[in-house]
Amino acid sequence: PTTRGAQGVRSAGRKGDTSHLDHRGPAPCWFEASLRHKRAHLCGQKFLELYAGSARLSRAFAAQGVAAEAWDIDYGTDNDLLKEVNVQRALRELRSGDVCFLWLAIPCSSWSRARRKDGRGPGPLRDDGVSLWGFDHLEGKDLAKVQEANRLVKNSCRII
């Protein structure tokens, strides 16, 4: 059978045979294809999804018998990773040894490639070079959006 991973990586092979997988690729693709074979070793372990949104990935792990926890600001301020107390709680959770897999999907509102100078929508707020952390000319809502996104990325780097 052929599977399609989260990053569009394709893998094909026989059930139970993981030798065909590209282990250099994104971990979720490898995990997705081999979960059913590793499940016994994950009992009592937890999957932690930060910036979970709809928490589909957490639900998928839970459906496979893996304890899962989803954090997202939409679930309340106890999940706001702009707050230092919550970053510290996430770090404690990871240091506890209970978390076997961590997934982060940082909000892309200011990082998105969809924001470009094509006259059809909002322009970019940053680039890949000198202005990676935001253009100097930003103000108002755009500046606030970039500053918030930068804090989330920095906090996420601390967490991982």
Side-chain angles (χ1 to χ4, degrees), residues 1-6 9-18 20-23 26-38:
T2 300
T3 60
R4 188 170 193 98
V9 175
R10 293 179 187 270
S11 59
R14 295 178 309 278
K15 185 174 181 179
D17 176 14
T18 61
H20 61 282
L21 294 177
D22 179 3
H23 294 282
C29 298
W30 175 82
F31 184 79
E32 175 184 294
S34 64
L35 176 62
R36 62 185 168 270
H37 309 293
K38 304 284 185 192

Side-chain angles (χ1 to χ4, degrees), residues 6 27-29 31-32 35 41-71 75 90 93-94 96-105:
C29 298
F31 184 79
E32 175 184 294
L35 176 62
H41 302 292
L42 295 175
C43 295
Q45 297 295 313
K46 186 186 333 186
F47 169 76
L48 179 60
E49 182 178 14
L50 304 181
Y51 313 104
S54 65
R56 287 183 186 167
L57 197 53
S58 292
R59 285 196 305 270
F61 273 75
Q64 295 297 319
V66 178
E69 188 172 319
W71 293 25
Y75 308 151
E93 186 75 31
L94 290 167
S96 74
D98 292 338
V99 176
C100 57
F101 291 97
L102 172 66
W103 179 268
L104 292 100

